[in-house]
Amino acid sequence: MKRFNNAKMENVSINMNQSKTPVYFIDEKDIKDLVKQYNPTRKIGDVKIPELEKKINENPFVDSANVYMNLNGNLNVDIKQRVPVFRLSKNGKDFYVDEKGVEFPISRNFSYPCMLVMGDVDASEYQELGQLVEKIDKDDFSKKYFIGIKKEKDSYNLLTSDGNYKVEIGDLENIDFKVKGFKTFVEKYLVYQNPNKYKKISVKYNNQIVTTLNPYFKENDSILRNAPKIEIKSEVESHKTEEKKSEPKAEPKKEIKKAEPKKSEFKKESSKPKKVEKKSEPKKSLDKKKETSSKSSSDKKKKQK
């Protein structure tokens, strides 16, 4: 300390510990600017190592930092940056999540290629969701098909690059079994079909796969037309239909008004025969009298002859 206290700090060694996929959220220039802030005199004895290390660790892109001085008077800064596991779009905001489930912002200088996750994902699910993304990245089949994850009403869906369908997996349990079921479905059936035929393929149920047809695919028109239609009416709708059925009860009043002239016509028609009967009765009696009288006169003439 007596030798280096008043000596100038000439060298600052910054080591960025990179993972398999390198990240560049921060660079050496950013760290050197911090070193100057915490050592304005540039003397070795004036360097505030604990405060400098704490300040570097407060950076959201830094996972861990270690600051130390060697025997030659050189300052060393070892930094490990955060590596995103997936990028989350939630409530109109985008940010990264690392393997520890820690959120950190998106950088203007660097964009890391990773899985996009959308929906209202709870922070308690970050680590399980990160494990799912890692399994997809390690599996060649899954990496080829799945390009994103979306959460809808407490159910997770895997977005695919082949066609417009999504793969419903439900919760984050038994992921290996669910992905294996989808792989079997693809290899034994979907390979021979048009990928645009389906809207959704669900593997969340045990030992079964449920598919939903795409209504905008022309080849599905005949299938959807012949499918049985199931109508489900709510209580409000059924009440309205009952009211509509009861409305035509007022129509008989109009029919009665229109039918009144017919009754009067019927009365007039029925009255005519009565008058005819009165006039016809005496005619019949007279005719009978004439007939009897003629018969009697003819008999008399016969007798006289």
Side-chain angles (χ1 to χ4, degrees):
M1 292 297 294
K2 289 179 182 179
R3 186 188 304 174
F4 292 111
N5 271 344
N6 294 323
K8 288 186 178 181
M9 187 176 62
E10 295 179 356
N11 297 322
V12 177
S13 178
I14 300 173
N15 302 314
M16 295 289 184
N17 298 325
Q18 296 288 359
S19 58
K20 293 181 180 179
T21 305
V23 291
Y24 304 99
F25 292 113
I26 56 175
D27 54 15
E28 293 184 4
K29 185 178 179 299
D30 298 330
I31 304 302
K32 287 180 178 180
D33 291 340
L34 285 174
V35 173
K36 289 179 181 179
Q37 290 178 9
Y38 286 87
N39 187 17
T41 61
R42 298 191 68 182
K43 291 182 180 180
I44 295 175
D46 294 337
V47 179
K48 299 177 182 178
I49 293 178
E51 294 180 7
L52 178 60
E53 186 176 279
K54 182 180 179 182
K55 187 65 178 179
I56 295 173
N57 279 312
E58 288 177 356
N59 190 303
F61 301 110
V62 175
D63 185 26
S64 62
N66 186 22
V67 181
Y68 58 94
M69 191 81 70
N70 61 12
L71 295 176
N72 295 326
N74 294 330
L75 184 69
N76 294 274
V77 181
D78 296 338
I79 295 175
K80 182 182 177 182
Q81 298 185 63
R82 294 191 185 279
V83 180
V85 177
F86 59 88
R87 179 173 176 171
L88 180 60
S89 179
K90 178 180 177 182
N91 298 327
K93 297 180 180 180
D94 289 2
F95 50 88
Y96 292 117
V97 178
D98 67 359
E99 59 182 2
K100 298 177 182 178
V102 178
E103 302 175 0
F104 61 99
I106 295 170
S107 175
R108 296 179 180 178
N109 302 322
F110 176 71
S111 179
Y112 185 80
C114 58
M115 183 75 73
L116 177 64
V117 180
M118 296 174 287
D120 189 13
V121 181
D122 191 73
S124 61
E125 298 176 308
Y126 285 169
Q127 289 188 340
E128 288 184 353
L129 196 58
Q131 293 173 4
L132 170 61
V133 174
E134 287 180 355
K135 289 178 181 179
I136 292 174
D137 290 338
K138 291 178 181 179
D139 185 20
D140 293 334
F141 172 84
S142 300
K143 192 175 182 179
K144 176 185 174 182
Y145 274 91
F146 304 135
I147 59 173
I149 302 172
K150 188 175 183 180
K151 186 179 181 182
E152 296 176 345
K153 297 180 181 180
D154 299 331
S155 180
Y156 282 95
N157 299 295
L158 302 178
L159 307 179
T160 60
S161 59
D162 187 21
N164 296 319
Y165 63 88
K166 56 186 178 181
V167 180
E168 185 182 29
I169 60 173
D171 53 27
L172 298 175
E173 297 180 359
N174 300 323
I175 295 298
D176 294 334
F177 181 76
K178 293 174 182 177
V179 173
K180 186 178 179 181
F182 173 71
K183 184 178 180 181
T184 304
F185 177 77
V186 170
E187 292 175 347
K188 294 188 177 181
Y189 183 77
L190 194 59
V191 174
Y192 309 102
Q193 302 291 325
N194 191 319
N196 294 317
K197 181 179 180 180
Y198 298 103
K199 181 181 178 182
K200 183 174 68 173
I201 299 172
S202 179
V203 294
K204 71 176 184 178
Y205 305 102
N206 292 329
N207 299 322
Q208 60 179 331
I209 296 173
V210 181
T211 60
T212 304
L213 293 175
N214 181 9
Y216 300 103
F217 187 59
K218 291 183 179 180
E219 294 182 7
N220 292 336
D221 291 344
S222 59
I223 301 173
L224 295 172
R225 285 175 186 172
N226 298 325
K229 295 181 179 180
I230 302 173
E231 295 182 359
I232 301 173
K233 293 183 178 179
S234 61
E235 294 181 358
V236 178
E237 289 178 352
S238 61
H239 181 67
K240 287 181 180 179
T241 52
E242 288 178 359
E243 287 181 352
K244 288 180 180 179
K245 289 180 180 179
S246 62
E247 284 177 359
K249 289 183 179 179
E251 290 182 358
K253 293 182 180 179
K254 293 181 181 179
E255 290 179 357
I256 292 168
K257 288 180 181 179
K258 290 180 180 179
E260 283 177 359
K262 292 182 180 179
K263 288 183 179 181
S264 61
E265 289 175 2
F266 180 74
K267 286 180 180 179
K268 288 179 182 178
E269 289 176 357
S270 61
S271 61
K272 285 180 182 178
K274 289 181 181 179
K275 291 180 182 179
V276 172
E277 286 176 0
K278 288 179 182 180
K279 290 179 181 179
S280 60
E281 281 176 1
K283 286 182 180 180
K284 288 180 181 180
S285 60
L286 290 170
D287 292 334
K288 286 180 181 180
K289 287 180 182 179
K290 287 179 181 179
E291 288 176 359
T292 51
S293 59
S294 60
K295 285 180 182 180
S296 59
S297 60
S298 60
D299 291 335
K300 287 180 182 180
K301 287 179 181 180
K302 286 179 182 180
K303 286 180 182 180
Q304 289 175 358
K305 287 180 181 180

